[in-house]
Amino acid sequence: MPGTTLPSIPHYVPAPPTAENLEWADLPIIDISQANTPEGRAELAPKVRDAMRTQGFLYVVNHGYDQAKNERIFDIADLPFAQVPEDEKRLFAGNIKQTGSYRGYKLRRYWHIENGVHDQLEHYNLHRAITGDQKHPKALQPVLPEIRAFAEHNHFSVLHPLLRLLARGMELPEDTFVNIHGFDTKGETYVRFMKYYPRSEEEESKTKNVWLKGHTDFGTITILWSQPVSALQILSPDGKWKWIRHIPNALVVNAGDAMEFLSGGFYKATIHRVVQPPADQRGYTRVGAFYFAMTDDDVKLVPFAESPVFERVDIVRKCDDADAPTMEQWRKGRTSAYGQSELKRKDEVVEEEVINGVVVKHYN
């Protein structure tokens, strides 16, 4: 970043971590700094492979940002919501359903949750290039270089090492996945800042305390910067919803649909949801910082069938290779439909919709 003095912005004060005894998911912690050497990658690859084959989630630590940089990112993450007037937000609202892109704002009450209740969260999405053809609100202008640096850090210091480890886990050349995740190529990998607002008791009752239904992410890898408000749950292999514990300055990483497609089901896109926080954190807002990774737009989402692992396990395809969508088709279909389409109830827990010929499940 140019210069030594950062622009002065308001400090976001998050909620204290919960003191409640919740049923936490037992996720492995990966020291990504070890991925800098061949020996370190050889040690980490089986751990990452096993995590993404079973739970689909893991923690990353020692990623290169210290606590001060972490706090600065959350100060920046709150700017699009706390420092941008409502009329200006509407000027930068994305045309999500028509474009299949999340660029710009998703304003509150866009997604239908349940029983006539709509969401109470906002998010602002920036294409990873940050200063390309996307325009941004006035409050963000002074910190755009920092957001660009944040995007590059996620992409090259976290995403690429993880992709190399995932390729090793499938006994493929290390750069197999890296080569289809360009930073300057045509694609929609983006930075997201998000803010959840408390809901009324009536809304909680009508939705059974669920803020976002159980779903999978549609990209390859999601990087969530851990924050103190406990609300994220994953559907664990034993069929129970378990909470994601906050670890200061750690990253919560999960695989999405595109990685499951590319790996022939070897890696799992795990169902996760957002629920009402525990009692000692209610009344607080919940600010999040994310990096949603996708392959280049033109990549066809078919398995890397040449992987030697498929001599030992079966390839699982969600559709015939000839019918498989490209990354662009899949993310546009999922983005346009989410929270807007009518879901078909399969049973008391599962609802379904069909995107590009593939069945997508949502869990209550």
Side-chain angles (χ1 to χ4, degrees), residues 170-173 176-177 262 302-311 315 317:
M170 291 186 67
E171 300 169 32
L172 291 166
T176 298
F177 295 133
L262 293 170
V302 296
F304 280 90
E306 65 271 26
S307 167
V309 303
F310 294 125
E311 297 173 4
I315 297 177
R317 291 179 169 88

Side-chain angles (χ1 to χ4, degrees), residues 26 32 71 84 117 168 171 220 251 268 275 285 314 321 357:
D26 184 19
I32 203 70
E71 292 181 11
V84 179
V117 176
R168 286 186 69 123
E171 300 169 32
T220 49
L251 312 178
K268 308 299 183 185
V275 300
T285 57
D314 291 333
D321 287 357

Side-chain angles (χ1 to χ4, degrees), residues 277-318:
D280 60 354
Q281 292 185 321
R282 291 171 195 169
Y284 290 92
T285 57
R286 180 176 183 263
V287 168
F290 301 78
Y291 195 70
F292 284 91
M294 287 164 261
T295 70
D296 303 340
D297 267 357
D298 61 358
V299 172
K300 197 172 178 66
L301 299 179
V302 296
F304 280 90
E306 65 271 26
S307 167
V309 303
F310 294 125
E311 297 173 4
R312 304 184 293 276
V313 299
D314 291 333
I315 297 177
V316 179
R317 291 179 169 88
K318 299 207 175 190

Side-chain angles (χ1 to χ4, degrees), residues 110-317:
Y110 176 75
W111 291 328
H112 177 253
I113 306 301
E114 186 77 25
N115 293 322
V117 176
H118 289 74
D119 70 274
Q120 289 293 346
L121 69 97
E122 296 176 307
H123 60 63
Y124 186 74
N125 289 262
L126 306 91
H127 185 270
R128 62 188 179 275
I130 308 302
T131 56
D133 59 0
Q134 184 181 355
K135 306 302 180 184
H136 304 287
K138 183 178 179 181
L140 287 180
Q141 297 297 325
V143 297
L144 290 178
E146 291 177 78
I147 302 176
R148 166 74 183 212
F150 177 67
E152 291 179 350
H153 178 76
N154 279 276
H155 202 93
F156 297 110
S157 298
V158 182
L159 175 64
H160 277 190
L162 284 170
L163 292 174
R164 291 189 175 97
L165 295 171
L166 290 168
R168 286 186 69 123
M170 291 186 67
E171 300 169 32
L172 291 166
E174 276 195 358
D175 284 343
T176 298
F177 295 133
V178 169
N179 290 339
I180 55 175
H181 287 79
F183 192 84
D184 297 316
T185 49
K186 184 176 183 292
E188 199 69 11
T189 293
Y190 54 82
V191 172
R192 172 182 291 179
F193 299 133
M194 181 182 291
K195 191 169 188 175
Y196 290 84
Y197 298 85
R199 303 194 311 183
S200 69
E201 286 305 313
E202 180 183 6
E203 288 176 322
E204 297 294 357
S205 175
K206 286 184 175 180
T207 62
K208 300 181 178 64
N209 306 108
V210 173
W211 286 10
L212 284 181
K213 290 183 180 182
H215 63 281
T216 56
D217 292 340
F218 56 79
T220 49
I221 296 293
T222 299
I223 301 169
L224 180 159
W225 288 64
S226 186
Q227 53 78 51
V229 177
S230 296
L232 178 62
Q233 296 180 334
I234 67 170
L235 190 59
S236 61
D238 62 6
K240 295 181 180 180
W241 289 107
K242 295 186 178 179
W243 298 77
I244 298 296
R245 185 193 300 270
H246 170 57
I247 298 178
N249 200 28
L251 312 178
V252 180
V253 173
N254 65 277
D257 296 340
M259 181 56 70
E260 186 168 325
F261 287 144
L262 293 170
S263 69
F266 190 72
Y267 297 127
K268 308 299 183 185
T270 295
I271 303 292
H272 54 285
R273 68 180 184 180
V274 181
V275 300
Q276 184 184 34
D280 60 354
Q281 292 185 321
R282 291 171 195 169
Y284 290 92
T285 57
R286 180 176 183 263
V287 168
F290 301 78
Y291 195 70
F292 284 91
M294 287 164 261
T295 70
D296 303 340
D297 267 357
D298 61 358
V299 172
K300 197 172 178 66
L301 299 179
V302 296
F304 280 90
E306 65 271 26
S307 167
V309 303
F310 294 125
E311 297 173 4
R312 304 184 293 276
V313 299
D314 291 333
I315 297 177
V316 179
R317 291 179 169 88

Side-chain angles (χ1 to χ4, degrees), residues 71-89:
E71 292 181 11
R72 175 72 177 183
I73 285 301
F74 280 91
D75 292 347
I76 291 172
D78 192 43
L79 287 178
F81 316 111
Q83 302 301 318
V84 179
E86 292 300 319
D87 56 350
E88 188 179 4
K89 288 179 184 177

Side-chain angles (χ1 to χ4, degrees), residues 88-96 103-107 124:
E88 188 179 4
K89 288 179 184 177
R90 288 191 288 271
L91 294 176
F92 291 93
N95 194 358
I96 299 169
R103 291 194 201 187
Y105 282 100
K106 186 216 73 72
L107 300 174
Y124 186 74

